[in-house]
Amino acid sequence: MENLKEALRFICSSNFWRMVLFWNIALLFSYFQLLKKSIFAPKSSSSSSCSKFNHSHTPVCVITGATSGLGKATAFALSRKGFYVVLVGRSSHLLSKTLSDIKRQNEDAKLKAFEVDMSSFQLVLKFRSSLEQWLFESDLHSSVQLLVNNAGILATSSRPTVEGFDRMIATNYVGAFSLTKLLLPLLRNSPVPSRVVNVTSFTHRSAFTGRFDMDSVTGVNFSRSKQYPCARIYEYSKLCILLFSYELHRQLHLMDDSHHISVVAVDPGAVKTNIMHELPSYIQVIAFCGLKILGLMQSPEDAAESVIDAALAPPEISGKYFFGGRTIESSALSSDPKMAKELWDTSCLIFNELQQTHT
């Protein structure tokens, strides 16, 4: 009975109707774009730049949020592709289980696990040092060939981080931005073209705010709301990761025309994972069943194929948005270069302040 009451309260909230109306429309619009692309443009085959890697070395992939759902499925798929997969997750127990599960299916998998809470800059900074030390001690090339920023949460209540940031934005965006900035030297040091893959979402199409000042990017503005606007914050965080992808591509292109580090954003669509575990159980069932009836709910293994396509596409595909294994157009807001630059400048300011605090 209590679960039912909780579900009814959520149904009466703006968060529920935003998810039901805006998110489903955004998902259907993405599939409409995909349909148009499949009719008028043939799908190009993926070719891994890491296939050129010297056989005496193993390409290294770092993937966040690797202990369940999409991240775990992607980690398994990349281990099959010959990558040395570095698993990053919050739970040591789940990391151990993921290592065992992947090894059971692929005994030749090369794996390393690091416990990191992506909402904590201090832990992300510590991870960078630990990763560099591990690469040195393992006699691996001091470089990273692939970074997959997959970690994400859908929180239903405000839980500020130590720095005072909204935890959802800190995990979904600020952590990804910080990790990418910290690992850029290792990506640049790769003997072959390297890549950053940022996992975003069709929900970015439902984000209508264009504010990227300090309080907005850290989520402080959202915490002032009477009711925690979890749907709006999630949309905003996914818009930020997409804008970041485009601007990082532009920034790197200004420094190097060769696309040595390429950047792509990938939207896996609707995936049956535990990301909605904080929502009332009845709401989760309704969401999963509704999307399954429409044929839009994917398994993590099927959705991981989109991430693999984005990860292994040619370097020239840098700066694109992947959905369903193809590149499509993202929202008009996400394609605004002025907003992307504003977000970049604010994020760099946040990053620099955090770095000064923790070094």
Side-chain angles (χ1 to χ4, degrees):
M1 182 59 72
E2 187 57 39
N3 287 340
L4 182 59
K5 288 180 179 178
E6 184 184 14
L8 289 173
R9 282 195 296 269
F10 189 78
I11 288 173
C12 293
S13 71
S14 60
N15 284 318
F16 174 79
W17 293 105
R18 198 172 183 94
M19 291 175 180
V20 169
L21 296 176
F22 291 178
W23 290 14
N24 283 323
I25 290 171
L27 180 58
L28 290 171
F29 185 78
S30 291
Y31 273 108
F32 174 70
Q33 282 208 353
L34 182 63
L35 177 62
K36 284 200 305 180
K37 200 69 179 283
S38 64
I39 293 173
F40 297 109
K43 184 178 180 181
S44 58
S45 59
S46 297
S47 61
S48 172
S49 58
C50 290
S51 62
K52 303 173 187 174
F53 208 81
N54 190 299
H55 290 296
S56 63
H57 298 287
T58 302
V60 174
C61 164
V62 175
I63 177 167
T64 65
T67 56
S68 65
L70 181 65
K72 185 176 181 178
T74 302
F76 172 70
L78 288 170
S79 74
R80 288 282 196 190
K81 296 287 185 181
F83 282 85
Y84 205 129
V85 182
V86 177
L87 308 167
V88 177
R90 286 180 296 172
S91 165
S92 58
H93 169 71
L94 290 177
L95 282 167
S96 298
K97 184 177 184 303
T98 301
L99 287 171
S100 300
D101 290 347
I102 295 177
K103 277 288 189 180
R104 187 165 53 249
Q105 298 176 74
N106 177 17
E107 60 182 19
D108 296 325
K110 295 181 174 66
L111 307 167
K112 176 66 176 177
F114 289 91
E115 184 179 355
V116 186
D117 182 346
M118 290 300 295
S119 71
S120 167
F121 182 82
Q122 185 175 5
L123 294 179
V124 173
L125 189 62
K126 181 181 176 182
F127 165 64
R128 191 271 306 270
S129 300
S130 300
L131 177 64
E132 290 176 336
Q133 184 68 26
W134 170 74
L135 287 170
F136 176 76
E137 293 175 350
S138 302
D139 200 28
L140 290 167
H141 192 271
S142 183
S143 63
V144 168
Q145 283 62 57
L146 179 62
L147 169 61
V148 181
N149 286 312
N150 167 73
I153 61 171
L154 175 57
T156 56
S157 60
S158 177
R159 298 189 295 275
T161 65
V162 174
E163 293 84 7
F165 301 170
D166 174 83
R167 191 168 298 274
M168 184 157 32
I169 288 183
T171 302
N172 298 3
Y173 172 64
V174 179
F177 179 91
S178 300
L179 180 61
T180 304
K181 289 276 284 182
L182 290 168
L183 295 190
L184 277 178
L186 291 175
L187 290 160
R188 286 196 181 98
N189 201 37
S190 174
V192 298
S194 56
R195 171 156 301 169
V196 177
V197 176
N198 289 325
V199 179
T200 183
S201 166
F202 55 89
T203 59
H204 83 273
R205 299 184 187 278
S206 304
F208 303 117
T209 179
R211 293 186 61 185
F212 300 104
D213 55 273
M214 187 80 77
D215 282 354
S216 297
V217 176
T218 58
V220 173
N221 278 347
F222 292 109
S223 64
R224 295 169 183 155
S225 303
K226 186 176 181 181
Q227 180 188 58
Y228 186 69
C230 63
R232 285 177 54 215
I233 297 174
Y234 186 80
E235 298 160 5
Y236 181 78
S237 70
K238 293 303 179 180
L239 172 65
C240 285
I241 199 77
L242 189 48
L243 283 164
F244 164 54
S245 302
Y246 293 152
E247 186 59 27
L248 178 61
H249 161 74
R250 282 189 283 267
Q251 293 286 335
L252 292 171
H253 185 66
L254 288 173
M255 293 184 285
D256 179 15
D257 285 342
S258 67
H259 295 291
H260 185 73
I261 304 178
S262 52
V263 187
V264 294
V266 60
D267 176 358
V271 189
K272 191 174 182 181
T273 68
N274 64 356
I275 195 167
M276 293 198 295
H277 74 277
E278 290 192 28
L279 298 181
S281 56
Y282 283 106
I283 301 299
Q284 293 180 49
V285 171
I286 292 170
F288 285 135
C289 289
L291 289 168
K292 188 173 182 179
I293 290 170
L294 292 172
L296 302 178
M297 180 60 72
Q298 305 171 85
S299 68
E301 292 71 26
D302 288 340
E305 292 181 15
S306 293
V307 182
I308 301 302
D309 285 339
L312 303 184
E316 296 75 24
I317 210 73
S318 185
K320 300 296 183 180
Y321 169 62
F322 272 77
F323 180 84
R326 295 176 182 271
T327 59
I328 64 171
E329 296 298 319
S330 58
S331 69
L333 195 63
S334 69
S335 304
D336 188 329
K338 290 183 179 179
M339 289 188 178
K341 184 60 167 61
E342 183 184 353
L343 173 64
W344 175 271
D345 291 341
T346 301
S347 301
C348 285
L349 182 61
I350 294 168
F351 176 80
N352 291 336
E353 288 186 0
L354 289 170
Q355 211 170 21
Q356 288 173 9
T357 302
H358 294 287
T359 54

